Amino acid sequence: GNKCPELVKEMTDLCGRGIVTSKNLLLGAPVKLGGECGSLTYIRPEERLEFGVLSQQKAYAKSIRKAKAPEEFVPQPRPGGDRLVAVRGEQSSRAHDAAGLLSVPKDGIGYGGGVVLGKDDEAYASAFQITAKPMPDMDKEGRKVIGQLLDSNSMDLLARLAGSPTRKMLPGQSGGTPLIKTVVNDCAVSSVAELLAKESE
């Protein structure tokens, strides 16, 4: 991820304290993947998995143990301004040529919903994908590799999830939403250097 420090920062924020794009947090909350706020949102069997926060309102309600978010709740909009300009200028760290690669949309986290961008509440529903095999089509889509899974346990989980059943697909679809709801309890971003240091202790 050395070629794309801003994208790595977005991923680190998503997996840690949360992404904040609004200055007014009195009526909103950071967008976080962990704590069951994020989930596996889409599976292309044996090819790729997609993760994100389907609804910021529902995630916030869950975090405060309420049935729904307060009426005045304001979701975090997609990153813009200088941050978006910086992200657009970053290159993929490598091709999508292996399993276990973390891939984000070309404009970064928050811009994964295709050509037509939806409501802010759903802006992070397609935050990132993980390859389950080499996927050169993802290079053609302009997606950017920012990291990879680093241990055998993560790769084993990837293989299990990539083979999970999906809801009935429509004709012509190559994937679908997971048949069994899969939420993210915890996640972490580490550098290879950090992991090597821990192993040598």
Side-chain angles (χ1 to χ4, degrees):
N2 292 336
K3 289 185 180 177
C4 39
E6 288 298 320
L7 287 167
V8 170
K9 182 184 181 310
E10 282 187 358
M11 188 70 177
T12 303
D13 288 348
L14 183 68
C15 292
R17 62 190 175 112
I19 291 177
V20 176
T21 57
S22 169
K23 292 180 180 174
N24 182 8
L25 273 183
L26 291 175
L27 302 177
V31 183
K32 296 181 182 182
L33 193 64
E36 298 186 11
C37 292
S39 62
L40 173 60
T41 58
Y42 194 82
I43 301 171
R44 278 182 61 180
E46 310 301 338
E47 291 186 4
R48 58 172 113 170
L49 306 173
E50 182 175 84
F51 292 85
V53 179
L54 287 173
S55 165
Q56 294 182 58
Q57 289 181 340
K58 290 178 183 175
Y60 180 67
K62 184 180 284 188
S63 74
I64 61 171
R65 295 183 173 86
K66 300 283 184 187
K68 60 184 275 189
E71 292 294 327
E72 61 273 13
F73 177 82
V74 178
Q76 296 291 323
R78 291 169 180 81
D82 292 341
R83 190 171 177 183
L84 180 58
V85 171
V87 162
R88 284 180 171 163
E90 292 184 342
Q91 300 298 310
S92 182
S93 63
R94 61 181 285 179
H96 292 81
D97 57 1
L101 301 178
L102 273 67
S103 173
V104 297
K106 64 181 177 181
D107 289 336
I109 294 174
Y111 290 87
V115 178
V116 179
L117 298 176
K119 300 179 291 186
D120 283 347
D121 185 55
E122 301 159 358
Y124 300 91
S126 174
F128 67 96
Q129 296 181 358
I130 303 176
T131 60
K133 69 172 194 176
M135 291 293 298
D137 285 353
M138 292 172 79
D139 294 321
K140 295 174 188 167
E141 292 167 19
R143 297 187 66 87
K144 299 173 183 177
V145 175
I146 62 165
Q148 65 188 63
L149 302 181
L150 293 174
D151 60 43
S152 59
N153 289 339
S154 297
M155 292 301 288
D156 290 345
L157 178 59
L158 170 64
R160 286 199 309 275
L161 291 175
S164 298
T166 62
R167 297 193 184 280
K168 192 170 183 180
M169 294 180 266
L170 298 172
Q173 277 188 326
S174 56
T177 57
L179 187 60
I180 300 167
K181 185 176 180 181
T182 306
V183 297
V184 178
N185 286 320
D186 193 17
C187 56
V189 175
S190 299
S191 70
V192 174
E194 287 171 351
L195 289 178
L196 292 174
K198 282 181 186 175
E199 288 177 3
S200 65
E201 289 177 353

